[in-house]
Amino acid sequence: MRDLEQGGGFPWFSSYDKGVPHEIVLPEGGLGTILDNAAASYGQRDAVVFQNNRISYSQLKILAETVAASLRKRGVQPGDRVSIMLPNLPQTFIAFWGVMKAGAIAVMTNPLYMESELTHQIKDSGARHLITLDIFWPKIAALRESLGLEVCYVTRVRDGLRFPLSWLQPFSARRQGTWVSVPFDGRTVVAWKDLFATSERLSVEVTDAAKTIALLQYTGGTTGVAKGAMLTHANLLANLTQLMAIVQQPPEKEHVFLALLPLFHVFGLTITLLLPARMAARVVPMPRYVPADMLEAFKKYKFTAFIGAPSVYISLLQQKNLAQYDLHHIVFCISGSAPMPVEWLKKFEEVTGTPITEGFGLTEASPVTHANPVFGRQKPGSIGVPVPSTVARIVDTEDGDKVLGPNEIGELVVKGPQVMAGYWQRPQETARTVRDGWLYTGDIAYMDEEGYFYIVDRKKDLIIVGGYNVYPREIDEVLHSHPKIREAVTVGVNHRSRGETVKAYIVPEEGVTLTVPEVVAFCRQKLASFKVPRLIEFRDELPKSMVGKVLRRILRDEELQKNTTERDEEGLQDVPSVSESGPEDGGKAQDSSVPSAQPSEKAE
C-alpha cells in the first residue's frame, strides 16, 4: 500500500473511525487457528446455540477434529474438495470446521440449486464427498452417478438437537410428511452420527496460508457460467482481520450473532461463522426468516450483532408489534446486497439507537472490500470507504487503466490481501478479472472527494435478487426452450425490498395460447426459485439493434419510466410470490424445523 499512497494518497483514511489502522498485520497459520484460539481462551463460551442445544467452543473444536479424523478414514486427503450442502444448522458449523481441520477445501453448495446448477458445481470442483441434509437426499440420489460422488454424509434435523426435541422431531417430520428415508450403508451413504464413532482427532497444520485454498466459492462473477473463486486461508484470514479492525470490539466482550444469512453464501460464511469464531462470540443459526420468530429470538438472545439484507431490515420494521420489543442491545448492524433506502436507515436507527452500516463486497474478495465507518460518519447510498490494507480506484471502462478523478464514473477496481487466488481451473478468466493484483469488479461507480464510493450501475446485465446473482442469459435460454415461445429476454427491475426482481419479456409463437402460470411452472422446473421471473409481459416484438440484438437497455429504461417499484406490488402480470417469506425458500418449507435461509450481500 505504501507505494500506492505515495502516488496520490488515500482520502478515505481521514474518514476512518478513531483507532482503525490503515494497514493490518496478517496472522500466521490457517483458519483452524481461529477455532483453536477461541477454544483455548474462551472454551466454555457458547459457540452455537440452536433451540435446546448448546455447543461450547471447546466442544466445537473436539467435534470438528473428530469429523476431520472420520473424513480422513474415508479417504479425504489435504486439498480434496468436500461439498457442504446444508442450511443454517449446528451441523453446518461442525462440518465446515471439520473440513478445515482435515486440510481439505470446502465447497459451499446452495441447497436450492436445480439439477443443472448442482451438477455443474460438483463436477467442476471435483468434489467426491458431500455433506447434506436428509430432505435434500432425493435430489442427490437422482444425480449420484452423474455427480461422481464417492461418499455422501447425511444428517437430520434431530442431529442438531438434544433430548427431548431430538426424540420428538422425527415424529413431527412424519406427521407433516417431510420425513425422508435414506439408504444408509455405512460406506457410500454415511449417517452423520457415524462420523463421531471414533475417539481419534485430526488437525492438519497449514504451513503456507497464501497458497493453500480453504474455500471454493462459486460465482458467475459479473457474467457467465458459475466459476469457483479460490479463496485461500490467507485471503479469508485477511478479511477477518480487516473486519475486526473496523468493528473494534475487544475479545473480552461477549457478543451474540444472529446467523440469518445462509452459510453457503460467502457473506454469511465470513460474517456469521468465521467472524464470530474470531471474536469467540455466540452464534444463533436461523434457517429461515420468519419476522415473528426473529423478534422473539431478539427478545430471548439479546443479539448484539445483526447482519442482513435490506429486505430483512425493512420487513422487521414493518411488523405491527415491533414496539413491544427492545432492540437497543444491538451494538453493530451490517447491511449488504442492495442500497438501503434513506428513510429506512433513519427509522432503524430511531428504533434501535444503532445505525446500519452499509458496505460492499464480492465473492472474489472474500468478500468485503468497503464499509461505511461503523461508529463514524456514514453516507446513505454510499458503500463507504475501503477497509484497511485495501486500495480502490475508478478506472476508465474502455481501457481499464486510466485512473479517474473524484466524481468521475468508471469501473471499480480493488487491490488487497483478501483478493482471491483466481478462478478454479480457469486461468484465462482469472487473467481477465485480476490484472497486476487489481480485481476488476465489473461495477460502475464513482468516488467522492472524501474517499466514499458509490455504485451507480453494473458493467454487465447481472441482476441481483435479494443478494443472489441472477444471470439473464441463463433464464433466456430456459425460456427459449419452451415450445410456445419465439423470443424472450429478461432484465432486472427495481423492487422496494429485494433490490431487484426479474422481469421477462416474451414473444409467443404465432397462433398459440400462452399464459403466465404456464411460463412460471415451466421455469420452476428448470431454475432455482429466486431466478424465476416475478414479472412477465407478453409482446408482439422486442426492441432490437440494426444487427438484430435485443436491446435490454431500452427495456430497462422503459421500466424506470413506469415506476416499476410501485407497480410490482400492484401486480401487472405479476407472478405471485412463491411463498410468504420470498423467493428464496423454494415455495415450501421442506421441513418445518429447517426452512430455507435468506440471502445476503452483493456477490454470490
Side-chain angles (χ1 to χ4, degrees):
M1 276 185 63
R2 291 187 177 88
D3 59 328
L4 292 168
E5 187 171 7
Q6 293 172 0
F10 302 126
W12 53 81
F13 282 159
S14 61
S15 298
Y16 274 13
D17 286 328
K18 184 179 179 180
V20 175
H22 295 177
E23 296 189 55
I24 60 169
V25 177
L26 289 177
E28 296 181 357
L31 283 175
T33 58
I34 296 175
L35 183 58
D36 294 341
N37 293 338
S41 301
Y42 303 98
Q44 298 310 306
R45 281 189 186 177
D46 288 335
V48 183
V49 177
F50 182 70
Q51 297 189 31
N52 71 337
N53 189 14
R54 291 175 178 270
I55 302 172
S56 70
Y57 273 99
S58 292
Q59 292 170 326
L60 181 57
K61 178 182 178 181
I62 293 171
L63 292 171
E65 292 179 351
T66 304
V67 167
S70 291
L71 291 176
R72 176 60 58 83
K73 279 187 173 182
R74 290 170 171 82
V76 175
Q77 298 295 320
D80 286 353
R81 280 74 64 202
V82 178
S83 171
I84 301 175
M85 183 176 165
L86 293 169
N88 290 11
L89 291 170
Q91 297 94 304
T92 315
F93 291 77
I94 298 169
F96 178 83
W97 287 117
V99 171
M100 293 300 101
K101 288 288 188 175
I105 299 171
V107 182
M108 304 305 286
T109 303
N110 188 340
L112 300 179
Y113 276 162
M114 303 302 285
E115 177 180 339
S116 59
E117 300 162 310
L118 183 61
T119 301
H120 167 71
Q121 185 179 110
I122 299 298
K123 296 184 74 170
D124 185 77
S125 68
R128 293 291 178 264
H129 294 249
L130 176 141
I131 304 172
T132 191
L133 190 65
D134 58 349
I135 60 174
F136 307 128
W137 175 251
K139 182 187 297 187
I140 296 298
L143 300 173
R144 279 182 69 190
E145 288 191 13
S146 61
L147 294 177
L149 292 169
E150 295 175 2
V151 186
C152 296
Y153 309 88
V154 184
T155 184
R156 298 188 187 275
V157 174
R158 64 180 298 177
D159 295 326
L161 303 170
R162 292 190 184 277
F163 183 84
L165 293 184
S166 59
W167 180 78
L168 293 171
Q169 192 275 333
F171 293 98
S172 175
R174 287 188 173 93
R175 185 173 63 253
Q176 296 169 9
T178 57
W179 180 263
V180 176
S181 179
V182 180
F184 294 113
D185 59 17
R187 296 178 297 100
T188 61
V189 184
V190 178
W192 175 258
K193 60 182 176 58
D194 290 348
L195 290 173
F196 305 95
T198 179
S199 59
E200 295 183 26
R201 291 165 59 180
L202 174 66
S203 182
V204 174
E205 182 182 1
V206 175
T207 56
D208 192 344
K211 295 182 179 179
T212 306
I213 303 169
L215 179 66
L216 271 190
Q217 190 70 32
Y218 275 77
T219 173
T222 56
T223 185
V225 67
K227 303 175 286 292
M230 296 186 290
L231 302 181
T232 67
H233 286 262
N235 290 150
L236 293 163
L237 283 170
N239 209 218
L240 289 176
T241 307
Q242 291 163 331
L243 291 169
M244 288 293 292
I246 63 177
V247 299
Q248 300 189 79
Q249 297 300 305
E252 296 78 20
K253 181 175 178 57
E254 293 190 48
H255 279 279
V256 185
F257 279 69
L258 168 66
L260 177 64
L261 299 171
L263 297 174
F264 56 76
H265 191 291
V266 68
F267 192 41
L269 182 72
T270 298
I271 301 292
T272 58
L273 187 153
L274 293 176
L275 182 61
R278 177 64 178 79
M279 298 171 67
R282 178 187 306 172
V283 184
V284 180
M286 183 172 286
R288 182 186 186 188
Y289 172 60
V290 178
D293 292 348
M294 196 165 86
L295 284 173
E296 285 299 312
F298 267 97
K299 181 179 179 179
K300 180 177 181 180
Y301 298 108
K302 303 289 192 262
F303 297 116
T304 61
F306 182 24
I307 297 92
S311 57
V312 172
Y313 287 103
I314 293 171
S315 171
L316 198 66
L317 291 170
Q318 291 174 331
Q319 299 308 302
K320 295 179 180 179
N321 61 341
L322 180 63
Q324 300 175 17
Y325 297 86
D326 180 10
L327 305 182
H328 285 83
H329 43 75
I330 301 173
V331 176
F332 60 92
C333 298
I334 300 174
S335 175
S337 87
M340 177 76 78
V342 176
E343 62 271 22
W344 292 109
L345 286 171
K346 293 179 179 178
K347 185 173 182 179
F348 187 87
E349 187 168 0
E350 290 172 1
V351 170
T352 66
T354 303
I356 295 175
T357 299
E358 293 191 275
F360 174 85
L362 63 166
T363 301
E364 291 87 344
S366 305
V368 181
T369 63
H370 292 68
N372 274 272
V374 176
F375 306 104
R377 185 185 180 192
Q378 302 196 6
K379 293 188 178 184
S382 166
I383 61 173
V385 297
V387 297
S389 286
T390 302
V391 185
R393 62 192 188 190
I394 306 298
V395 300
D396 183 82
T397 57
E398 295 299 324
D399 63 28
D401 293 321
K402 179 184 177 182
V403 180
L404 305 181
N407 300 309
E408 291 187 288
I409 295 176
E411 182 174 359
L412 172 64
V413 299
V414 297
K415 177 183 282 191
Q418 72 272 47
V419 172
M420 67 173 182
Y423 291 122
W424 177 254
Q425 297 180 336
R426 284 181 167 80
Q428 292 183 339
E429 295 193 51
T430 298
R432 285 195 294 267
T433 304
V434 183
R435 309 174 208 168
D436 193 26
W438 290 96
L439 173 63
Y440 283 69
T441 69
D443 287 277
I444 304 303
Y446 69 91
M447 180 189 74
D448 68 17
E449 292 84 353
E450 296 179 299
Y452 286 73
F453 286 75
Y454 299 78
I455 302 294
V456 297
D457 202 348
R458 296 185 182 93
K459 193 173 183 180
K460 302 297 182 181
D461 293 318
L462 174 69
I463 304 170
I464 298 183
V465 179
Y468 285 121
N469 285 359
V470 177
Y471 307 101
R473 180 178 176 181
E474 178 186 7
I475 305 173
D476 294 351
E477 290 176 353
V478 168
L479 291 171
H480 279 113
S481 68
H482 194 291
K484 294 184 180 180
I485 294 177
R486 187 173 72 205
E487 289 183 302
V489 66
T490 49
V491 300
V493 298
N494 292 334
H495 188 281
R496 63 164 59 94
S497 62
R498 297 186 186 94
E500 290 181 304
T501 193
V502 180
K503 178 169 183 177
Y505 296 85
I506 295 173
V507 178
E509 293 286 358
E510 292 185 11
V512 303
T513 300
L514 184 63
T515 65
V516 168
E518 186 177 353
V519 173
V520 173
F522 183 78
C523 289
R524 284 181 180 164
Q525 293 176 357
K526 299 178 178 294
L527 296 167
S529 57
F530 59 87
K531 299 179 182 179
V532 175
R534 289 288 308 281
L535 291 163
I536 294 175
E537 182 174 331
F538 295 113
R539 290 196 170 194
D540 294 329
E541 59 182 10
L542 299 175
K544 296 178 181 176
S545 68
M546 293 182 64
V547 295
K549 181 180 179 181
V550 176
L551 300 174
R552 296 181 197 266
R553 173 179 49 82
I554 292 179
L555 296 172
R556 281 195 294 264
D557 290 344
E558 288 179 5
E559 289 302 317
L560 288 174
Q561 295 173 8
K562 294 176 184 177
N563 191 12
T564 310
T565 302
E566 294 298 324
R567 194 204 52 204
D568 179 44
E569 300 301 326
E570 298 171 6
L572 176 61
Q573 295 288 18
D574 192 352
V575 179
S577 178
V578 177
S579 75
E580 288 296 322
S581 58
E584 296 81 26
D585 61 9
K588 59 183 177 181
Q590 301 276 11
D591 183 299
S592 62
S593 300
V594 188
S596 300
Q598 287 286 319
S600 57
E601 43 75 70
K602 178 258 176 192
E604 191 169 1

